[in-house]
Amino acid sequence: QVQLVESGGGVVQPGTSLRLSCVASGFTFRTHAMHWVRQAPGRGLEWVAVIWYDGDTKYYADSVKGQFSISRDDSKNTLYLQMDSLRVEDTAVYYCARENKRDCDGGNCYSVWLDPWGQGTLVTVSS
Amino acid sequence: SSELTQDPAVSVALGQTVTITCQGDSLRTYSTNWYQQKPRQAPVVVIYGDNNRPSGIPDRFSGSRSGNTASLTITGTQAEDEADYYCNSRDSSRQWSSGHHWVFGGGTKLTVL
């Protein structure tokens, strides 16, 4: 079955780095854009970043641009999120999610959504 | 960046109909998705592309969009529908990368009475 499994979370001090991984199975990973979404404790969902299937096209939320880097290794069916200079406000559960598209005309698609999501990995930034 | 606005909390009596709304300028351009999140679980899509239900989602869930407002309607609400619901769309506010950034609403906590 289609599955995403995140790992790499933990407790780190402010200013340090962490790399999250998301291993995909059950589908052709290289043909899908992949996203990271985070959720701070007791808060809502916040979109973090996307990487297209080409591996070169990437977009980031303003809150993490220049601080986080998204990448993928299609040979390992794995998505990554490199997080540098971590701040207390980066504390959150980080989810990876697969992008799906439908009703496309050329490069434009009417329906674009995230499914499935991984179970999440908790990152706690604290001194 | 664009924003999507949701009511923080909504309640509904068991078996009744409830509508959760989402407002934002991006909804004038891009379709809306809705995700259900239960405590300590990952989000699950219940509606995509404004009004499409993924397989396995009960047909009591439906969606619509008009102008800058999207709606999620649950008809005959069940106890298991109690959860947080998030709308989601692509961000239309960026001049050079419209549609490539994503945005979520703040979420609506649905209580079933």
Side-chain angles (χ1 to χ4, degrees), chain A residues 13-36:
Chain A
Q13 292 191 332
T16 60
S17 298
L18 203 60
R19 189 178 80 159
L20 306 183
S21 300
C22 167
V23 177
S25 59
F27 67 98
T28 307
F29 180 73
R30 59 182 168 79
T31 64
H32 286 266
M34 297 294 296
H35 295 245
W36 287 100

Side-chain angles (χ1 to χ4, degrees), chain A residues 1-5 23-29 77 98 115-117:
Chain A
Q1 75 281 21
V2 177
Q3 191 173 16
L4 299 171
V5 178
V23 177
S25 59
F27 67 98
T28 307
F29 180 73
N77 286 350
R98 183 185 74 176
D115 180 58
W117 297 53

Side-chain angles (χ1 to χ4, degrees), chain B residues 1 6 9 25 29 37 49 53-54 64-65 73 88 100 105-108:
Chain B
S1 62
Q6 298 181 241
D25 287 340
T29 306
Q37 186 181 34
R53 265 181 301 105
S64 64
R65 179 172 64 100
T73 298
N88 154 241
H100 298 311
T108 297

Side-chain angles (χ1 to χ4, degrees), chain A residues 11-75:
Chain A
V11 180
V12 297
Q13 292 191 332
T16 60
S17 298
L18 203 60
R19 189 178 80 159
L20 306 183
S21 300
C22 167
V23 177
S25 59
F27 67 98
T28 307
F29 180 73
R30 59 182 168 79
T31 64
H32 286 266
M34 297 294 296
H35 295 245
W36 287 100
V37 178
R38 69 183 179 181
Q39 185 172 35
R43 305 294 295 273
L45 301 174
E46 180 187 14
W47 177 78
V48 173
V50 59
I51 183 169
W52 288 12
Y53 65 92
D54 62 8
D56 293 322
T57 307
K58 308 170 187 180
Y59 295 94
Y60 298 91
D62 290 344
S63 57
V64 305
K65 191 172 184 178
Q67 181 192 3
F68 289 4
S69 177
I70 189 172
S71 62
R72 62 191 298 159
D73 185 338
D74 291 346
S75 70

